[in-house]
Amino acid sequence: MEPTETLEPAKAGKSEILKQAKAYVTQLLEEKLPPQLVYHSLKHTVTVVKEARNLGEDAGLEAADQEALLLAAWFHDTGYIEVNDGHEYRSMAIAEQWLRQQGYPEPRIKVVTDTIRCTHRDEPSENELQQLLQDADMSGMGREDFFANAELLRAEWETTLGKTYSNVEWAESQLDFLLSAKFHTREAKARYGEQFKANLKEQRDLLKKTEKKKKKKEEKATGTFAEPKRGIETMFRTMYSNHMKLSDMADKKANMMISLNAVLLSVIITYLGAKAGTKSGVLSPTIVNNPVLTIPIGLLLATALGSVVTAILCAQPDVTSFKWLKKSPQIATNRRVNLLFFGNFSKLTLDDFHAGMNQIMGEKEALYTNMVTDIYYLGDVLTRKYRLLRISYTIFMVGLILTSLSFGIALLYKM
């Protein structure tokens, strides 16, 4: 008869203790609950109590167990007023202290606190009461307001935990949650099962739509190789045109230096051999009679020779080449091979060239790979051309300055 005597106070005070618990928890959460907890609010607690009552009635619980279940539901999130992680254990302490002050029987206090404990993610449920409270606490995933509450939870985590989620990341986390979660009791499965399946399906669809929207946004911002935009084609066309113009300019400047210095060399050589006789040997009498002039003339000769040689090297046709495996089955996608340049494809057999070109025409990535490689080596040739051209112009400029200075010194010496 002792269990019956133990239960009598709970039965007798059932309505009153629950009424007092509601008033106490409501005031406690309204006054002390942090405002950033927009999901784990008083509204959430009231909802869990309501769902726990429905599940308890569906399960046909006795009055004492129904009372313990509802008391646990009222107190299960009160620990949030002090801590976030591990708030369940603080909720147990708050419930135990308050129930003891109300003179609630000790054995029933333990039932209530043990039921609260099971709401922690790492605590297993060992009896029906604990499973019913777990299902009531997680009933949101089987209700129509699941997605609205999920946004509240997202906002709460971002403010309290400092986490930020993109739409795709949040949709993925919610889908993972639904796939890993489950209801423990048959009452919860019967009450929430259909809506849970509908929410799971809608979450999958939402994730697909979110990912598709993100992909379109990225493609709009940057474009992709899968669907090339007109801007990419214009970029390649402009780069090819600029490289051709720069190459043509370099060749014209080199030809100008070649012509100028060739004339200069001809004049110098002609002057040095002019009026050469038996007495003066192979040199002009002017040089023989004025040996000091050999310095400026020698400098001018060296200037013209150095400038014309570097200009010729600049204008000389240059074919970039490198070693690569002809047996490679992926010739067209090899970044070291450029099938658009004769210096490379002339080393292939006709069959290999056909195979590579067919691969380029059939794969956009291979096409862009070869175009980028072609532009790179065009730039490499241009770098060499302009380096030699700069050297040619520098030699010519410095040589003329030194020649003029030495000629001036020679005139002063003669005077």
Side-chain angles (χ1 to χ4, degrees), residues 53 111 137 152 160 168 233 244 266-267 331 393:
R53 179 180 291 110
V111 172
D137 195 22
L152 293 177
T160 59
V168 173
E233 297 173 358
M244 294 299 102
S266 299
V267 171
I331 292 174
Y393 273 81

Side-chain angles (χ1 to χ4, degrees), residues 223-329:
T224 65
F225 282 167
E227 296 180 6
K229 305 296 181 182
R230 182 174 296 179
I232 296 178
E233 297 173 358
T234 303
M235 178 192 71
F236 277 112
R237 190 181 300 113
T238 303
M239 291 182 72
Y240 272 116
S241 177
N242 290 340
H243 279 71
M244 294 299 102
K245 288 179 181 178
L246 289 171
S247 181
D248 185 56
M249 287 173 57
D251 290 339
K252 287 181 179 179
K253 290 178 181 293
N255 288 330
M256 184 178 68
M257 291 301 294
I258 292 172
S259 300
L260 176 62
N261 285 285
V263 171
L264 192 59
L265 283 172
S266 299
V267 171
I268 295 173
I269 293 172
T270 301
Y271 176 76
L272 288 176
K275 299 180 181 181
T278 56
K279 293 182 179 181
S280 59
V282 296
L283 295 178
S284 170
T286 304
I287 300 299
V288 174
N289 295 329
N290 301 283
V292 71
L293 294 177
T294 56
I295 296 176
I297 292 176
L299 284 173
L300 186 60
L301 183 63
T303 297
L305 183 62
S307 181
V308 76
V309 169
T310 51
I312 291 172
L313 290 175
C314 173
Q316 183 181 22
D318 188 14
V319 179
T320 56
S321 61
F322 35 79
K323 294 181 180 180
W324 46 278
L325 298 176
K326 295 182 180 180
K327 296 181 181 180
S328 173

Side-chain angles (χ1 to χ4, degrees), residues 89-368:
Y89 303 114
R90 185 60 193 139
S91 298
M92 293 168 59
I94 294 173
E96 182 179 4
Q97 181 182 6
W98 184 83
L99 289 172
R100 190 168 286 137
Q101 289 175 353
Q102 308 308 311
Y104 202 67
E106 287 294 331
R108 302 307 295 174
I109 292 177
K110 185 171 181 359
V111 172
V112 172
T113 55
D114 286 346
T115 303
I116 294 174
R117 179 187 290 109
C118 76
T119 59
H120 190 280
R121 60 183 176 274
D122 296 330
E123 294 286 351
S125 53
E126 300 175 348
N127 56 50
E128 185 180 25
L129 281 184
Q130 295 175 3
Q131 291 177 348
L132 287 171
L133 182 59
Q134 279 185 332
D135 288 344
D137 195 22
M138 303 299 292
S139 62
M141 62 185 183
R143 297 199 310 268
E144 293 181 357
D145 59 355
F146 168 75
F147 294 96
N149 289 332
E151 288 304 313
L152 293 177
L153 182 61
R154 177 181 180 179
E156 179 178 307
W157 283 359
E158 288 181 346
T159 55
T160 59
L161 304 181
K163 294 182 178 180
T164 55
Y165 301 89
S166 66
N167 290 335
V168 173
E169 290 173 342
W170 183 250
E172 288 176 344
S173 69
Q174 290 301 97
L175 181 59
D176 291 341
F177 165 69
L178 290 176
L179 290 173
S180 61
K182 65 177 182 178
F183 291 112
H184 298 84
T185 63
R186 63 177 181 273
E187 291 78 17
K189 293 175 183 177
R191 180 175 287 271
Y192 311 117
E194 291 300 320
Q195 187 60 46
F196 174 76
K197 292 178 182 178
N199 289 342
L200 180 58
K201 182 180 182 300
E202 187 174 349
Q203 186 64 59
R204 283 196 176 102
D205 294 339
L206 180 62
L207 177 58
K208 290 179 181 179
K209 290 179 182 179
T210 306
E211 289 177 337
K212 188 175 181 180
K213 189 180 295 185
K214 179 183 177 183
K215 186 177 180 181
K216 284 185 177 180
K217 186 176 180 180
E218 290 176 348
E219 289 178 358
K220 184 178 180 180
T222 61
T224 65
F225 282 167
E227 296 180 6
K229 305 296 181 182
R230 182 174 296 179
I232 296 178
E233 297 173 358
T234 303
M235 178 192 71
F236 277 112
R237 190 181 300 113
T238 303
M239 291 182 72
Y240 272 116
S241 177
N242 290 340
H243 279 71
M244 294 299 102
K245 288 179 181 178
L246 289 171
S247 181
D248 185 56
M249 287 173 57
D251 290 339
K252 287 181 179 179
K253 290 178 181 293
N255 288 330
M256 184 178 68
M257 291 301 294
I258 292 172
S259 300
L260 176 62
N261 285 285
V263 171
L264 192 59
L265 283 172
S266 299
V267 171
I268 295 173
I269 293 172
T270 301
Y271 176 76
L272 288 176
K275 299 180 181 181
T278 56
K279 293 182 179 181
S280 59
V282 296
L283 295 178
S284 170
T286 304
I287 300 299
V288 174
N289 295 329
N290 301 283
V292 71
L293 294 177
T294 56
I295 296 176
I297 292 176
L299 284 173
L300 186 60
L301 183 63
T303 297
L305 183 62
S307 181
V308 76
V309 169
T310 51
I312 291 172
L313 290 175
C314 173
Q316 183 181 22
D318 188 14
V319 179
T320 56
S321 61
F322 35 79
K323 294 181 180 180
W324 46 278
L325 298 176
K326 295 182 180 180
K327 296 181 181 180
S328 173
Q330 299 295 329
I331 292 174
T333 55
N334 189 338
R335 291 188 301 172
R336 295 287 297 166
V337 179
N338 177 19
L339 286 182
L340 304 180
F341 180 59
F342 77 92
N344 291 165
F345 69 69
S346 61
K347 300 176 183 179
L348 294 173
T349 64
L350 181 59
D351 291 338
D352 287 338
F353 180 65
H354 270 291
M357 290 302 293
N358 286 332
Q359 186 179 352
I360 288 177
M361 291 184 289
E363 300 178 12
K364 290 185 176 71
E365 184 177 355
L367 173 62
Y368 282 113

